[in-house]
Amino acid sequence: MIFQNVAAGLVLFAISLVPAPVLAEIRIAVAGPMTGQFAAFGAQMAGGAASAVADINAAGGVNGETLVLETVDDGCDADKAVAVANQLIGKEVVFVAGHFCFGPSISASEVYAQAGIIQMSPATTLPKFTQDRPGAGVFRLAPRDDQQADVAGAFLARDHADAHIAFLHDKTAYGKGLVDAVKTVMNGLGKRESLSIGYDAGEDAYRELVSDLVLQNIDVVYLGGYHPEAGLIKLEMVRQGLDAILIAGDALMTDEYWSVTGSAGNGTLLTYPEVPRRMPAAAKVVTAMEEAGLPADRYALTTYAAVQIWAQAARQAQTTGFEDVVDALGAGTFETVLGTVAFDDKGDAGVPAYVWYEWRNGAPVRR
């Protein structure tokens, strides 16, 4: 009996020396501006990625493996983005939700393409990002700027076919580029503008500019530019009694516009991607993130969706291998906090789509 007890004890001791089985890990990353002037957006991305990873792991992970999240800061700088992309190669990351700014997104995409890492930006809208992508593993979960022009140009041609339309732009790449794109769409649909003028940003007043609009009997003003100048132009329109609709792009989706105009801003229209937190598919995730003290705004949810999509594609492919997952992403449809998502042959999903908002009593309201 003594020998049996000793033997049993030795067996138990030997078993205790055997290390417990460790679940395999899959490393993914979120990359964006975690510091600097756009750090608030980076915080949204980091929170969305962390929440998605936690939810996926709680449901069993991906193909039986646990996700581990790396969070890296590119400072919205293209050179820094290349550096962090190379760091992620060393950490054997297979997927990156990022980047935010178009410069880092494009620069890093070259690194990821060569390394066989799938990249999906939840924020970059510049068409070039996917139009000229360096490889099949580059995807976008944000609408393209030229899609904004499609929406606005068709609206002007259809709903204001008999109006006198003026185009104004601030001579910047964003403002002039947007105006040119909208004008091209509108002209292609048979509608011509009455006036097209560039103005200098940073002026204190735009009296002469608005006087020209009055002389031309302008009914609709489409503006490519930012809120400080747009607000002053709208105020001057009201002062001179110009009863014209002001329409602009996504740059006017800021409370600062109303800070400039006050009630004069009522009726201003703008295009902006549909707010994800208002989508039915996002309701449970929004509640959970807010209860956890995390931001549940646009880039949090588009980043959450990016991780969701990659995980679903990896499950469909039954591997995290680059080529198989890329094929699954290109061929599949995915259920996300943004609703059902599918990609075209350029890697674009076009969601959340551009929709119309109207400034009413201090807030932009979905039309």
Side-chain angles (χ1 to χ4, degrees):
M1 180 68 69
I2 293 174
F3 290 113
Q4 289 177 346
N5 290 338
V6 171
L10 289 172
V11 171
L12 290 173
F13 177 71
I15 292 173
S16 70
L17 294 179
V18 176
V22 178
L23 292 177
E25 295 179 343
I26 303 170
R27 292 191 175 275
I28 67 171
V30 56
M34 305 304 164
T35 58
Q37 63 176 323
F38 299 114
F41 299 128
Q44 289 184 35
M45 294 172 66
S51 296
V53 166
D55 290 345
I56 290 167
N57 283 341
V62 175
N63 301 332
E65 298 182 300
T66 301
L67 296 185
V68 175
L69 181 67
E70 300 282 344
T71 302
V72 293
D73 176 24
D74 65 18
C76 211
D77 179 83
D79 291 337
K80 190 173 181 180
V82 170
V84 299
N86 279 298
Q87 292 172 14
L88 295 177
I89 295 174
K91 294 183 178 181
E92 299 184 343
V93 162
V94 296
F95 168 72
V96 178
H99 294 232
F100 179 82
C101 299
F102 72 82
S105 287
I106 292 172
S107 296
S109 69
E110 298 279 353
V111 179
Y112 299 136
Q114 292 179 16
I117 296 173
I118 293 171
Q119 175 191 12
M120 190 178 299
S121 173
T124 299
T125 58
L126 190 74
K128 175 182 172 66
F129 173 60
T130 50
Q131 193 73 33
D132 301 326
R133 62 178 179 168
V138 178
F139 295 86
R140 184 205 315 263
L141 202 56
R144 293 165 50 128
D145 287 335
D146 48 5
Q147 292 171 328
Q148 181 170 209
D150 288 342
V151 172
F155 174 74
L156 291 171
R158 181 187 66 243
D159 290 34
H160 298 283
D162 298 324
H164 294 96
I165 297 176
F167 284 98
L168 308 180
H169 65 80
D170 63 359
K171 305 178 183 177
T172 65
Y174 166 75
K176 187 176 187 305
L178 180 59
V179 159
D180 288 347
V182 172
K183 193 179 350 179
T184 296
V185 173
M186 186 188 80
N187 293 164
L189 294 172
K191 172 65 180 175
R192 305 295 301 181
E193 68 277 8
S194 299
L195 192 66
S196 185
I197 304 176
Y199 59 86
D200 294 321
E203 300 290 329
D204 294 329
Y206 292 93
R207 185 174 305 147
E208 292 184 8
L209 174 64
V210 174
S211 294
D212 288 340
L213 302 180
V214 172
L215 290 173
Q216 295 287 336
N217 296 315
I218 296 300
D219 304 303
V220 177
V221 175
Y222 186 88
L223 185 144
Y226 295 91
H227 67 272
E229 293 78 22
L232 292 175
I233 289 170
K234 179 59 176 173
L235 282 172
E236 189 61 35
M237 288 167 61
V238 172
R239 289 193 190 103
Q240 295 196 30
L242 179 61
D243 187 20
I245 302 168
L246 180 64
I247 304 175
D250 53 347
L252 294 201
M253 181 62 87
T254 170
D255 292 341
E256 296 303 314
Y257 175 69
W258 191 263
S259 297
V260 176
T261 65
S263 60
N266 275 323
T268 300
L269 303 181
L270 67 146
T271 44
Y272 190 80
E274 185 173 3
V275 177
R277 64 179 296 121
R278 298 176 185 171
M279 297 179 180
K284 290 178 65 174
V285 171
V286 168
T287 298
M289 291 184 69
E290 290 181 338
E291 288 177 350
L294 296 171
D297 297 312
R298 176 181 173 185
Y299 301 111
L301 294 173
T302 52
T303 305
Y304 187 105
V307 177
Q308 271 187 312
I309 291 168
W310 174 85
Q312 290 177 37
R315 291 193 194 105
Q316 290 176 16
Q318 298 184 344
T319 178
T320 59
F322 177 80
E323 292 185 0
D324 290 334
V325 177
V326 166
D327 288 344
L329 286 168
T333 56
F334 308 95
E335 298 305 320
T336 77
V337 291
L338 305 178
T340 302
V341 173
F343 297 97
D344 64 18
D345 58 1
K346 294 184 180 66
D348 291 322
V351 293
Y354 283 106
V355 294
W356 286 102
Y357 290 84
E358 179 178 348
W359 275 98
R360 297 179 194 163
N361 301 320
V365 179
R366 169 79 186 273
R367 295 188 81 202

